[in-house]
Amino acid sequence: MSDETDIDYGPLENLIGSWKGDKGVDVAPDPEGSENNPYYENLTFTGIGDVTNAESQVLSVVYYRQIVFRKSDDQAFHDQTGYWMWDPKTKTVMHSLVIPRAVCVLAGGQYIGATNTEGRVIIEVEAGVDDEDWKIIQSPFMQENARTTGFRQKIEVGNGKLSYSETTMVDIYGNVFEHTDENELNLSKG
Ligand code: HEM
């Protein structure tokens, strides 16, 4: 692993830094139907260099930590960590994430230079339990009782702003639930 400072992080470059946002909206499954949680969060991305796989694939790697707080009681109610990876040869973006419910996701997508009207980079990845390439792994309990079947995420980042929206499909309480999260953040430390 190299930690040189001249690493090309491609579209992930804009993520690096510490972000804060208080416009979060979470829609999560509940036995009665759904629960709606307004939230704020701290999200920190750190460029950690590159790795070489099988002496041929070079990935630039950004580590992140996300901690999400419920507005109603200021309690941390979601904690997530993982890596974003960029493969410049195939223009593939990968996002590996873990959450402390015994669920892991490896999502992927192509980045071909898309930007929004404000010039922010658009990064999109997805995964599915039955996908050939980008998969979800979960404990026997979760497979049985709260099975994540799909995950997709869109991030728009640049000029000190980051917004994301993500949908996690969860098979729970006899239905497939569309668990969604979105927020808008500002760069607090570059
Ligand atoms: C900002 C991001 C997220 C927030 C704020 C959030 C919040 C929540 C909340 C409040 C619940 C309801 C259960 C409870 O009250 O503890 C829940 C359930 C769940 N979440 Fe998330 N979540 C987020 C992202 C994710 C992601 C990325 C995944 C997986 C890829 C995920 C998977 C699940 C699963 C499987 C459940 C069902 C467990 C249950 O309700 O008993 N969540 N989440």
Side-chain angles (χ1 to χ4, degrees):
M1 183 142 198
S2 144
D3 63 354
E4 292 154 36
T5 45
D6 59 351
I7 300 286
D8 172 13
Y9 289 104
L12 307 180
E13 178 76 45
N14 287 305
L15 294 174
I16 295 169
S18 294
W19 301 82
K20 286 184 189 299
D22 62 2
K23 298 186 177 65
V25 180
D26 167 65
V27 180
D30 181 278
E32 313 301 320
S34 68
E35 60 175 72
N36 203 311
N37 301 292
Y39 67 81
Y40 59 95
E41 68 179 296
N42 297 329
L43 183 51
T44 304
F45 294 90
T46 313
I48 59 166
D50 61 18
V51 293
T52 304
N53 286 328
E55 298 197 342
S56 51
Q57 184 193 50
V58 180
L59 302 179
S60 317
V61 185
V62 174
Y63 166 77
Y64 77 94
R65 181 79 193 279
Q66 178 184 29
I67 306 180
V68 182
F69 301 84
R70 225 185 224 114
K71 279 190 183 172
S72 60
D73 57 7
D74 290 324
Q75 294 296 307
F77 75 123
H78 181 78
D79 191 316
Q80 185 178 317
T81 190
Y83 298 95
W84 282 88
M85 293 147 281
W86 166 240
D87 178 355
K89 241 191 216 172
T90 60
K91 304 213 178 304
T92 304
V93 176
M94 293 167 249
H95 178 193
S96 64
L97 73 88
V98 290
I99 58 165
R101 294 181 187 277
V103 179
C104 313
V105 176
L106 179 61
Q110 293 294 116
Y111 176 74
I112 47 163
T115 52
N116 71 7
T117 49
E118 296 167 26
R120 290 196 268 155
V121 163
I122 302 174
I123 302 167
E124 288 180 281
V125 291
E126 57 187 306
V129 263
D130 298 322
D131 194 272
E132 281 289 300
D133 300 320
W134 309 109
K135 292 186 192 294
I136 296 156
I137 297 177
Q138 50 210 314
S139 68
F141 180 90
M142 294 304 272
Q143 288 189 53
E144 202 50 45
N145 298 288
R147 187 168 185 253
T148 299
T149 58
F151 173 79
R152 60 176 190 275
Q153 182 179 30
K154 180 179 183 181
I155 295 186
E156 298 181 21
V157 64
N159 310 320
K161 277 186 179 175
L162 185 163
S163 50
Y164 70 82
S165 59
E166 62 192 39
T167 303
T168 308
M169 304 304 294
V170 185
D171 194 344
I172 185 167
Y173 310 130
N175 292 303
V176 177
F177 187 89
E178 224 173 272
H179 174 20
T180 58
D181 292 282
E182 57 187 58
N183 202 357
E184 291 172 23
L185 299 93
N186 292 305
L187 194 60
S188 63
K189 203 161 60 146

